[in-house]
Amino acid sequence: MPLLRAIKCNIISPRIPFHLYNRNYCHSGAGEPFVPFDVLVNQRRNEARRSLLVEVAGLPSSTDLHQVCSQYGAVRKMFHYTTRHSNVNKEMILVEFDEAESLEKALQATRSPPTERIIPVHSPFVWLSASRTASSNRKKTNISSTTDIIQETVPSNEELQLQLSQSRDLSEQIQKSYECQKLTELGSRLRFFTCRQVEVALSGLFPQACVLPFGSSVNSFGRINCDLDMILELFDVTNQDTTQRLVFQAKKSRSAANPRITMQRHMEVISDILDNFVPGCSQVRKILAARVPIIKYRQDLTDMECDLSMANRSGFYMSEMLYLYGSMDKRVRPLVFAIRKWAKDRHVTSPYAGRWVTNFSLTLLVLFYLMRTSPPVIPPLQMLIKLAGDDDVRTAESINCTFLRDLKILTASDNKQSLEDLLRGFYEFYDKFDFKERGLSVVRGDDFVKPEHNALYIQNPLERELNVSRNVTLEELERLRSEITHARYRLEEDTEHIEEQQGQQPWGLLSLWGASHKPQAHRGLNASIDWQEVFHIQEQETPPTPDKQLNVSPVHA
Ligand code: GTP
Ligand code: MG
């Protein structure tokens, strides 16, 4: 007998925090439960494996949908959202079952549409067809309400501005701006679900296919509507079980001697599959000549821009590193958000790749600054590398991605500066920074003489001989610097006139986002720091083994 439970419509739930719920992992500096990255990713992937995305006629159909889905197993959660495509609104419901088997049963029961134009593809994206019997069935069944349908409310720009203008001070503005703009529960679920769709679509030919999100979707610096960066692996790189006697046969690749060409060919095929067969995928473009070849597309049904790459697991570990830094101290994420938003509004960054600073480089600039405050807010990466245990060892594409993953052994920073102080400090620090002569390393938490004549030199934390901001031209760096100088003065002016300004004209973040351009010159630079001294590490808990003290390479100085 199928479990029949009705749903209450239009119950608006508050935004569910992105962080999940395991209180065992609590790092004192973060002020909120710490969830290891692997745990978070596995939990989200499991949710996606139990989820179905259904296009419905409207919110009232959610009752029918719940009834239909309940035939296959218990429904745990339902999220409603509207997406707009080709000027038409689509009403979508993401259904999470209790068990993955229920989803399988539902998909097996999915019928083909009565037209040859639509190819039934193995995909967890379906639609609910109208049924003449559904409403009469519903009347006959006396259904009790047990599952809420969740609709997330995201403040509009105007609401955000109002909230910020009514804040007590700049610190409160920074915190509110973060709370209002960070990726939501549904946003996070849909990103993992969009990865799952590709995995499922390819699973017939590639049973071990694994698609993982990386970048701002998982590094905890993602805004609502951020793009989705994905890595596709056709085989399970983590399965090293050599005891098995049965091994996959391989088809000899025509260009085996050149792995890059092989990968480009595979990506050609995959982009054609996405373009021709996978529901919701539109505007599929191949950018295969890039350093990291990607397939770009739009997923219309989850409403996101997607970048799919292969052989790029180091990007995933890079995101894990950023996630860890975001988890170390509760001020890191709000500050990064404020600075990324400022850079976006001031056109220092752009959604398009080019000769300007990317969000990734900008985030490293913020982390570097937080390593240089006095006392530092966060430790340099080399300390996390030294503290890594056996479980932390990772290698991807021959790049060593080993660093401490469990933050429990770190103590909280002694730095007690407010968000306001840190934001001001960021602009002051980079207003004085000697970009012309010096590069930055978050590995050592120190600057160094630039080894090359790139305008901006930010050492790649994992491939240390590379500069992640190599693309930035002198002209764009100058623009960044003048915006920094201007932001600094704008905040100083705010301090002088705060009482007159509050309530009357934009102040704090609002004045930064809308401020005009006033370039200024830059000056000197900072002293170095004893990291071991500053962060008192409980080394006895996880003694670093000699072979883990790796690759803390002195940077090109
Ligand atoms: P937004 O998409 O702008 O919100 O931020 P993002 O952090 O996702 O940045 P982006 O989409 O540009 O890049 C995705 C991820 O790719 C980053 O988080 C990094 O992990 C990685 N990445 C970006 N740029 C570089 C680079 O220059 N070098 C390396 N090694 N990795 C990069
Ligand atoms: Mg991205």
Side-chain angles (χ1 to χ4, degrees):
M1 181 68 188
L3 176 63
L4 288 176
R5 291 189 303 183
I7 49 180
K8 289 184 279 177
C9 294
N10 266 334
I11 308 260
I12 312 292
S13 86
R15 293 155 58 87
I16 298 171
F18 183 72
H19 283 289
L20 303 171
Y21 326 101
N22 190 343
R23 285 261 158 203
N24 292 332
Y25 297 101
C26 193
H27 170 60
S28 49
E32 52 189 63
F34 167 64
V35 182
F37 192 69
D38 283 350
V39 174
L40 177 79
V41 168
N42 286 336
Q43 166 141 2
R44 288 289 187 212
R45 293 189 78 208
N46 281 334
E47 281 166 3
R49 282 198 191 99
R50 289 185 274 104
S51 297
L52 184 68
L53 186 63
V54 190
E55 186 181 338
V56 293
L59 195 51
S61 308
S62 55
T63 311
D64 284 347
L65 177 63
H66 187 275
Q67 200 173 8
V68 169
C69 288
S70 296
Q71 293 172 49
Y72 308 109
V75 171
R76 186 177 293 185
K77 283 194 175 143
M78 295 175 81
F79 293 82
H80 169 261
Y81 65 94
T82 306
T83 175
R84 192 168 174 79
H85 174 54
S86 304
N87 289 331
V88 179
N89 282 351
K90 285 184 189 289
E91 303 296 329
M92 309 298 299
I93 296 185
L94 184 71
V95 179
E96 184 196 358
F97 287 101
D98 268 355
E99 306 289 342
E101 292 73 36
S102 311
L103 174 68
E104 287 311 312
K105 281 190 211 160
L107 289 178
Q108 276 166 24
T110 310
R111 68 177 168 80
S112 306
T115 159
E116 286 173 7
R117 279 180 49 243
I118 298 176
I119 301 165
V121 175
H122 189 31
S123 161
F125 287 52
V126 297
W127 52 278
L128 181 69
S129 68
S131 157
R132 273 185 233 110
T133 52
S135 54
S136 58
N137 279 349
R138 196 169 61 243
K139 275 179 208 145
K140 280 183 223 153
T141 328
N142 191 10
I143 299 165
S144 64
S145 299
T146 51
T147 305
D148 292 343
I149 184 147
I150 300 167
Q151 288 185 296
E152 291 182 336
T153 47
V154 175
S156 65
N157 257 344
E158 291 70 33
E159 285 164 340
L160 174 63
Q161 290 198 3
L162 184 67
Q163 283 202 32
L164 297 190
S165 65
Q166 292 170 345
S167 297
R168 270 193 317 275
D169 52 29
L170 182 53
S171 293
E172 190 176 305
Q173 278 192 335
I174 298 169
Q175 188 64 37
K176 272 189 187 168
S177 157
Y178 164 64
E179 297 294 340
C180 290
Q181 295 183 77
K182 68 181 176 182
L183 197 57
T184 63
E185 169 75 13
L186 176 62
S188 182
R189 281 174 182 254
L190 286 177
R191 278 165 175 74
F192 278 84
F193 187 76
T194 304
C195 291
R196 178 67 187 153
Q197 183 198 28
V198 179
E199 225 170 62
V200 170
L202 300 177
S203 61
L205 200 51
F206 308 108
Q208 294 189 358
C210 168
V211 181
L212 293 169
F214 72 107
S216 53
S217 295
V218 287
N219 66 18
S220 76
F221 299 123
R223 287 170 46 117
I224 304 159
N225 300 334
C226 66
D227 69 356
L228 170 61
D229 304 292
M230 298 183 272
I231 313 158
L232 164 64
E233 285 164 353
L234 295 180
F235 57 93
D236 184 355
V237 289
T238 57
N239 183 1
Q240 317 242 315
D241 185 355
T242 50
T243 60
Q244 298 299 327
R245 303 274 313 278
L246 297 176
V247 179
F248 281 103
Q249 281 275 8
K251 181 172 166 68
K252 207 166 172 196
S253 168
R254 270 174 278 166
S255 51
N258 188 332
R260 184 175 161 88
I261 294 178
T262 308
M263 180 171 75
Q264 285 168 332
R265 285 202 175 145
H266 293 172
M267 291 181 79
E268 297 256 6
V269 176
I270 284 158
S271 82
D272 285 344
I273 293 174
L274 293 174
D275 201 11
N276 286 288
F277 301 118
V278 181
C281 296
S282 70
Q283 302 170 31
V284 181
R285 287 145 290 156
K286 294 169 267 194
I287 305 176
L288 303 184
R291 189 176 79 85
V292 179
I294 53 170
I295 301 167
K296 280 180 116 42
Y297 69 95
R298 230 193 97 70
Q299 175 41 267
D300 293 328
L301 300 174
T302 55
D303 195 16
M304 58 190 68
E305 301 295 330
C306 304
D307 285 357
L308 182 72
S309 54
M310 291 177 79
N312 190 22
R313 193 171 260 259
S314 59
F316 181 73
Y317 293 136
M318 187 83 86
S319 303
E320 181 172 22
M321 183 203 82
L322 295 184
Y323 171 84
L324 289 171
Y325 274 113
S327 307
M328 268 178 218
D329 187 286
K330 65 181 179 193
R331 293 164 292 182
V332 176
R333 288 171 184 151
L335 192 68
V336 170
F337 261 70
I339 290 163
R340 282 170 72 141
K341 168 83 169 117
W342 159 79
K344 175 173 175 275
D345 283 18
R346 300 302 306 152
H347 305 289
V348 168
T349 53
S350 157
Y352 307 103
R355 52 186 193 280
W356 33 82
V357 176
T358 61
N359 267 332
F360 176 58
S361 296
L362 193 65
T363 306
L364 292 179
L365 285 179
V366 182
L367 296 183
F368 181 79
Y369 157 68
L370 291 174
M371 293 171 187
R372 301 301 303 268
T373 52
S374 181
V377 176
I378 51 174
L381 184 62
Q382 71 179 354
M383 206 168 89
L384 303 189
I385 293 170
K386 280 185 185 163
L387 293 170
D390 289 344
D391 291 349
D392 298 319
V393 176
R394 309 276 192 283
T395 307
E397 299 97 38
S398 311
I399 303 164
N400 196 326
C401 304
T402 302
F403 44 80
L404 178 75
R405 261 110 181 147
D406 184 350
L407 300 182
K408 270 186 296 183
I409 65 167
L410 290 184
T411 55
S413 163
D414 289 336
N415 183 309
K416 302 290 175 244
Q417 283 176 279
S418 66
L419 278 169
E420 171 166 351
D421 291 342
L422 290 174
L423 185 71
R424 289 178 194 281
F426 172 85
Y427 293 121
E428 278 161 30
F429 180 80
Y430 283 114
D431 195 24
K432 293 177 188 164
F433 192 84
D434 183 4
F435 288 107
K436 190 168 172 219
E437 301 292 334
R438 313 291 289 180
L440 306 92
S441 165
V442 298
V443 180
R444 297 193 314 176
D446 210 352
D447 49 68
F448 55 93
V449 176
K450 282 201 287 192
E452 290 167 21
H453 292 295
N454 298 133
L456 177 62
Y457 199 105
I458 304 174
Q459 185 193 32
N460 183 319
L462 298 178
E463 291 175 271
R464 305 204 178 115
E465 65 292 351
L466 300 180
N467 172 12
V468 301
S469 51
R470 200 187 158 86
N471 61 312
V472 178
T473 59
L474 197 56
E475 191 191 3
E476 286 298 322
L477 176 68
E478 284 306 320
R479 229 163 56 74
L480 169 69
R481 284 183 40 211
S482 67
E483 286 294 346
I484 285 172
T485 308
H486 180 60
R488 178 183 172 185
Y489 284 103
R490 197 86 192 99
L491 289 176
E492 278 173 16
E493 278 170 23
D494 260 8
T495 321
E496 287 159 20
H497 305 291
I498 189 80
E499 269 139 38
E500 301 132 59
Q501 287 190 357
Q502 270 183 4
Q504 288 172 29
Q505 58 183 44
W507 62 277
L509 286 186
L510 293 171
S511 86
L512 276 191
W513 294 345
S516 63
H517 184 85
K518 265 194 229 163
Q520 279 273 330
H522 71 287
R523 291 161 289 241
L525 141 95
N526 266 9
S528 62
I529 299 162
D530 181 352
W531 299 105
Q532 293 291 345
E533 187 88 347
V534 172
F535 285 87
H536 335 281
I537 306 303
Q538 302 150 14
E539 285 189 42
Q540 64 283 14
E541 285 190 22
T542 313
T545 49
D547 60 328
K548 304 299 160 348
Q549 301 189 8
L550 26 88
N551 278 1
V552 189
S553 56
V555 210
H556 323 282

Coordinates of all heavy atoms in Angstrom, one line a residue, residues 215-216 227-229, ligand 2:
G215 N 35.0 24.8 -7.0 CA 34.8 26.3 -7.2 C 33.8 26.8 -6.1 O 33.5 26.2 -5.1
S216 N 33.2 27.9 -6.5 CA 32.4 28.6 -5.5 C 31.1 27.9 -5.1 O 30.5 28.2 -4.1 CB 32.0 30.0 -6.0 OG 31.4 29.9 -7.3
D227 N 28.2 30.4 -10.7 CA 28.2 29.4 -11.7 C 28.5 28.0 -11.1 O 28.8 27.9 -9.9 CB 29.2 29.7 -12.8 CG 30.7 29.7 -12.3 OD1 30.9 29.4 -11.1 OD2 31.6 29.9 -13.1
L228 N 28.4 27.0 -11.9 CA 28.7 25.6 -11.4 C 29.9 25.1 -12.1 O 29.9 24.9 -13.3 CB 27.5 24.7 -11.6 CG 27.7 23.2 -11.3 CD1 28.1 23.0 -9.8 CD2 26.4 22.4 -11.6
D229 N 31.0 24.9 -11.4 CA 32.2 24.3 -12.0 C 32.2 22.8 -11.6 O 31.9 22.5 -10.5 CB 33.5 24.9 -11.4 CG 33.5 26.4 -11.6 OD1 33.6 26.9 -12.7 OD2 33.3 27.2 -10.6
Ligands
MG2 MG 33.0 29.3 -10.5

